[in-house]
Amino acid sequence: MAKNIAILGSTGSIGENALKVIDALGPEYNILAITANSSVKLLAAQAKQYHPRYIAVTDADYYKELVDELDGLKVEILTGADSMVQIAQLSEVDTLITAVVGAAGLPAVLAGAKCGKRLAIANKEPLVIAGKLLTETVSANNAEILPVDSEHSAIFQAIQSGRADEVSRIILTASGGPFRGATKADIENVTLKQALDHPTWNMGPKITIDSATMMNKALEIIEARWLFDIEASKIEVLVHPQSIVHSLVEFVDGSMVAQLGMPDMKLPIQYALTYPNRVAGISEHLKLEQLGTLTFEKPNLEVFRALALGIEVAKTAGSAAAVFNGANEAAVEQFLAGNIKFVTIVELIEHCLNKHNAQTDVSLEQLIEADQWARREVIQCLNQEVY
Ligand code: NDP
Ligand code: MG
């Protein structure tokens, strides 16, 4: 029987790579469902190429346009905010690839966990906001999380070399983004175009900005904390500009085990689908002799304040993690719209964290409320020009 895959966010950078990977894997893997928020032209083109049984457009305003684009193609169409949840709950779904961006993916990934699915998680924000709840729901329902984020896929692969109590440290590697080596003064007036120009990875706009602020690495510390059930104090970040060593695990005897590969998301996507097996795929193989030097350096926490904040938030997580992520999503949206300066993103996040009364033992409703509060606070700060 072919494995049925649903891709939430098939029109994004991860989503498009996932389609290519599944297509190349052959008849053992079937694209059952795909979704987009508003990119209906691309979604319809994907439907015509891959023939999923279900497609969904979450923004209902685009439903009619999608129907028109489909030219009578036989496919079940879902729409509305709840459509990703409905797809996650389909009994036919074996693996749910979460490739939407931001907190919007939280209800669907929780629904998939409750239904005992294999969750191939690229969409890291729900893990940052509700990692404890999500990993507990996964365990309680015999679901499974396979990380797609390249660093976490690397850790997942390396950590299999020892027992959990033998792990002494996790080292997350970071490319350093476009402003690696910059001073505070250097980043003061960078433009949107400069911030979107990532040196090694080709990704969607939100995560590209997160990489430039190093907020992405901060989110990834929290992501790793929950995925591997490891204390935040045992997670370190090293800047590795070549993006070849995707992360490392150090064991108590001093051995470090790393996973290396080209900076190509198709590899971790494929591993999340085929695990525990490995199969030949479409990712280019590394040629070590052509690489020259691999370098590692400590990140500059004074210039990249987001990372310093993330290290603190990861220690307690709880509602602070929801505020941290919500404030960032709102601030990045403003930066992408050209409304604020690059450095203001992190100033707004810090303002929200300082103002928030953090709690550690929190319900899903409280996490969502903390997320919503942070988004409102960002807008209010901008309206009043205080942060
Ligand atoms: P993109 O912006 O390229 O794609 C996002 C996808 O989500 C699109 O399909 C988009 O649809 C859809 N989407 C956006 N907003 C909503 C919403 N509110 N409701 C429903 N669907 C929505 O993002 P990426 O592929 O770069 O990233 C996806 C996730 O994976 C992020 O969480 C990111 O952090 C993570 N990730 C990405 C990596 C990468 O290499 N890109 C690497 C590691 C992790 P539409 O096209 O209609 O807008
Ligand atoms: Mg990553």
Side-chain angles (χ1 to χ4, degrees):
M1 278 277 278
K3 287 236 177 310
N4 279 323
I5 322 280
I7 309 173
L8 305 180
S10 64
T11 52
S13 159
I14 293 285
E16 290 213 278
N17 273 318
L19 286 168
K20 286 181 199 152
V21 167
I22 301 166
D23 195 34
L25 282 172
E28 282 177 53
Y29 294 83
N30 176 43
I31 298 164
L32 182 84
I34 57 178
T35 82
N37 188 42
S38 61
S39 304
V40 286
K41 273 197 167 49
L42 181 53
L43 187 67
Q46 291 177 341
K48 288 174 191 168
Q49 184 173 356
Y50 298 108
H51 300 283
R53 199 174 307 160
Y54 304 89
I55 60 174
V57 57
T58 46
D59 187 337
D61 288 348
Y62 290 86
Y63 174 78
K64 197 178 165 311
E65 198 180 325
L66 176 61
V67 172
D68 292 346
E69 287 290 337
L70 286 167
D71 295 329
L73 186 81
K74 204 170 157 280
V75 58
E76 195 160 325
I77 313 169
L78 291 81
T79 192
D82 207 36
S83 54
M84 293 197 297
V85 169
Q86 290 168 31
I87 285 185
Q89 291 171 334
L90 288 170
S91 60
E92 304 107 292
V93 170
D94 297 303
T95 301
L96 186 68
I97 302 182
T98 69
V100 299
V101 60
L106 177 59
V109 74
L110 273 173
K114 283 186 190 143
C115 296
K117 309 292 187 195
R118 171 175 286 201
L119 307 170
I121 299 188
N123 180 209
K124 66 190 80 181
E125 293 88 348
L127 263 170
V128 171
I129 300 169
K132 184 167 187 285
L133 198 96
L134 181 56
T135 49
E136 284 170 1
T137 310
V138 163
S139 307
N141 294 282
N142 278 326
E144 201 184 6
I145 298 184
L146 274 300
V148 169
D149 209 349
S150 57
E151 296 77 0
H152 304 75
S153 175
I155 295 161
F156 180 73
Q157 294 176 59
I159 216 163
Q160 295 169 31
S161 296
R163 289 195 315 258
D165 63 349
E166 293 168 346
V167 172
S168 56
R169 244 181 346 149
I170 280 180
I171 298 174
L172 278 173
T173 53
S175 69
F179 307 130
R180 183 176 64 88
T183 63
K184 268 187 172 172
D186 292 336
I187 61 167
E188 183 64 35
N189 289 309
V190 296
T191 62
L192 176 59
K193 189 169 176 292
Q194 287 170 316
L196 282 172
D197 188 17
H198 196 278
T200 49
W201 292 99
N202 186 7
M203 311 177 285
K206 191 263 179 181
I207 185 176
T208 304
I209 300 306
D210 288 348
S211 299
T213 55
M214 289 198 78
M215 183 67 183
N216 183 47
K217 215 46 57 179
L219 298 175
E220 288 183 356
I221 295 175
I222 304 169
E223 183 185 8
R225 189 251 169 276
W226 296 119
L227 279 178
F228 305 106
D229 191 20
I230 189 164
E231 289 160 50
S233 60
K234 290 187 174 174
I235 306 171
E236 285 179 30
V237 172
L238 281 182
V239 174
H240 166 53
Q242 297 81 17
S243 300
I244 296 293
V245 177
H246 295 304
S247 279
L248 309 92
V249 177
E250 184 194 67
F251 292 92
V252 284
D253 59 358
S255 277
M256 279 189 181
V257 180
Q259 185 259 347
L260 284 72
M262 293 294 284
D264 177 358
M265 291 308 295
K266 291 195 282 303
L267 188 50
I269 292 169
Q270 175 171 306
Y271 189 64
L273 295 175
T274 65
Y275 172 82
N277 303 313
R278 290 182 187 272
V279 301
I282 47 174
S283 298
E284 195 188 331
H285 289 207
L286 260 187
K287 295 185 186 63
L288 282 174
E289 69 283 5
Q290 289 176 7
L291 283 179
T293 313
L294 297 179
T295 59
F296 301 89
E297 65 204 38
K298 285 251 186 213
N300 185 335
L301 298 183
E302 289 199 1
V303 176
F304 297 99
R305 259 312 278 151
L307 192 49
L309 295 174
I311 291 168
E312 284 310 305
V313 171
K315 289 180 190 160
T316 54
S319 63
V323 166
F324 188 54
N325 180 73
N328 181 56
E329 284 192 34
V332 170
E333 202 179 310
Q334 294 298 321
F335 177 66
L336 286 170
N339 297 339
I340 60 172
K341 282 168 63 170
F342 179 72
V343 288
T344 308
I345 299 172
V346 179
E347 286 167 5
L348 287 165
I349 299 170
E350 188 158 17
H351 163 90
C352 288
L353 284 175
N354 288 339
K355 197 165 169 185
H356 175 64
N357 185 7
Q359 288 172 313
T360 46
D361 202 10
V362 274
S363 65
L364 179 62
E365 290 68 31
Q366 287 168 311
L367 291 168
I368 293 169
E369 174 45 34
D371 166 275
Q372 296 296 316
W373 172 81
R375 289 168 200 262
R376 287 194 305 271
E377 184 65 20
V378 163
I379 302 304
Q380 200 171 327
C381 285
L382 292 177
N383 288 340
Q384 298 172 352
E385 294 184 26
V386 238
Y387 42 86

